[in-house]
Structure formats: structure tokens, C-alpha cells
Amino acid sequence: MRAWMIEQQSGPEALKLVEIDKPVASGTEILVKMTAPGVVPFDVAIINDQNEANFPPCSLPLVPGNQGAGVVEDAGTCTRLKVGDRVMFGAFPYGFMRAGSWAEYCSVEQDHAWKIPDSVSDGAAAQAAVAYPTAYRALVEAGFEAGKTVLVPGIGGSVGNAGYQLAKALGAANVISTTSSSAKAEQARQAGFDNVIDLSRQSMVEGVHALNGGEGVDIVIDSIGGQILAETAKCIKRYSKIICLGFAAGRESTITLADLILYRGSIQGYGVYTCTPEEWADAWTVFTQLADAGKIKPLFDRSFPFERAAEALRYTETARPFGGVALAI
């Protein structure tokens, strides 16, 4: 089968299109015939050797691709899925510690795969497989319930979009997001995101207070990091909880401690890859129900032909697309 391979983590130039043996499903695995290998920021970090120092070492040579969508070719011992089902998958090891999705076939642990809702395309599902469980489990971790107010910075990004849509669909009293681009703020409004702060025009705290009755929010779901995280600490009210999921804007943040002390707020780190199979299944079930009811819609930016993986990687890194990116097989 055809697969993309890297022998060193030196950027898109390291990608080589090769012929390798088709994998075989064994143990608790299923075999997926890929239709839409996802292209996500985690892939950028792995291929560019930008992963964290305390991560396990990357297993080289490696087929990249942390997430993806396709069709079940061999269901193995799985009773939940059958041959021919459209499935999406993603978990920490793929495209990092074991072969990933950038190939014509991928062997996947059955607990890491879920049937794609009928309302969702393969391309959109390739990133939704992780973004929506991440956002949903973060909301659960923060103690979300209907009637609470939520700030999800970073509209346009996969977790930003998912968190906004999920909180709104699940009954939040108010949901707010941010962008640093006036063009993206307008794009967000056209996509149905009605409370987006344009950080090129006003500060986050000014925008939150203007959109939320003059006060801060109950919950922050931040996948951006850097000084964005510090700014979210200025946007809370008493007993608020900030869930920190990522560091696209930087791995360090300087927080004014008084912002937390004044409101007895808290910051907690969270990673969806620590979820149990039952928690993944719960998140995917909620996603499926809301997607099929038309209450959420994963946003998809574009597909690249499989042969143009390096171009897709550069696009994901530099264009900051509004929605998912995938390869097409």
C-alpha cells in the first residue's frame, strides 16, 4: 500500500511517499481503509520535532497522521462496528508512537474508533474525532451545566469551534469566543458564531464584559495557551474554572495571581488522551446525537489530494484554517 513516511523529524521535506505492507488487524484492533487522513496541529508538531521534551520519543521511521476517517475493512473481534461502517478515530499514539493515518490502510484499536454520524462527511469527521470529545470532556471537567456562561477562545480552531457549538447546544446561557483577526471574526459570524470578540479591536476582558452583562464567565475552555491563558484569568467571576488544553500560542504564560485570588478562580490542565474508553464513548455518543439532530456541525476547510501531504501540512501550520483539513484518498 502507499503511505507517507518520515525517517527524521525535520519538517515537510522529510516526507516520502513509499510502498509498505498493508497492516493486519490483530488482538483488539480493526483495520480501516482510509478515505480522509486528518492533518492537524499535532502532526505539524511531530513532523517538525516540536513536541514536548517530556513526551515519549517519536518512533522512527514513522507513518504520520494522528487522526482520520475511513471504512472498516476488517472488524476483528469488535462487535460494535462491522465491515463497511464509516468510522473516525484518533488517539495519542497514532502518527507518533505507532503508524498513523497517512496511508491507504491503518490498524486502529477498536476503543479509539467510532461510527461517523450520517450527517458528517469523512473529511470533517477526521478532525471531529478528537476535537469534540476534547471540548465535551473539558466542559464536563469544568462542571458545566445548562445555564452557565462559557468562554472558548480561538474560534476557527477545531477545539474552539467544538467547544462553542457544544456549550450552546447543551444549554449554556451564553457562549463567547475570540479571534485576533477581523476577517476571521466576520467569517465566524457568517458561520453562525454570534459572540466573537475581535482582539484586534478590543481586549478580551472588555469584550467578555460587553457580551455578558458586565461580568465574567463561569467556565473557560482554553486550547490556545500563552498569554491568551493569562487574559482569560481576567474574564472570570467567583468560583470560575479555567481548563487549559493546549499551547498553540506558547508553552509559557505569565498570570497575574490577583486575577485568580480575587474571584477564587482555578486553572486546571486537561488532556483528552487520559480519558477512559467509557469516557470516549460517552463523548462520541453526545457528538453523534447532537450532530444528527442538527444542533452542531463540524466545520471543514478543505481537502488536499493524498499526494500533496507536504502542502497540506504547510497549509495547516501557516494558514490557520477555519475548520478541519484532511487528505483525500
Side-chain angles (χ1 to χ4, degrees), residues 167-182:
K168 189 171 183 179
L170 293 169
N174 196 11
V175 188
I176 300 168
S177 190
T178 69
T179 179
S180 58
S181 160
S182 295

Side-chain angles (χ1 to χ4, degrees), residues 33-39 67-71 87 89 101-103 121-127 300 303 325-329:
K33 183 178 182 180
M34 299 304 304
T35 58
V39 184
Q67 300 162 41
V71 177
V87 292
F89 69 90
S101 64
W102 289 16
S121 70
D122 288 11
Q127 196 166 86
F300 186 62
S303 288
V325 176
L327 305 177
I329 301 179

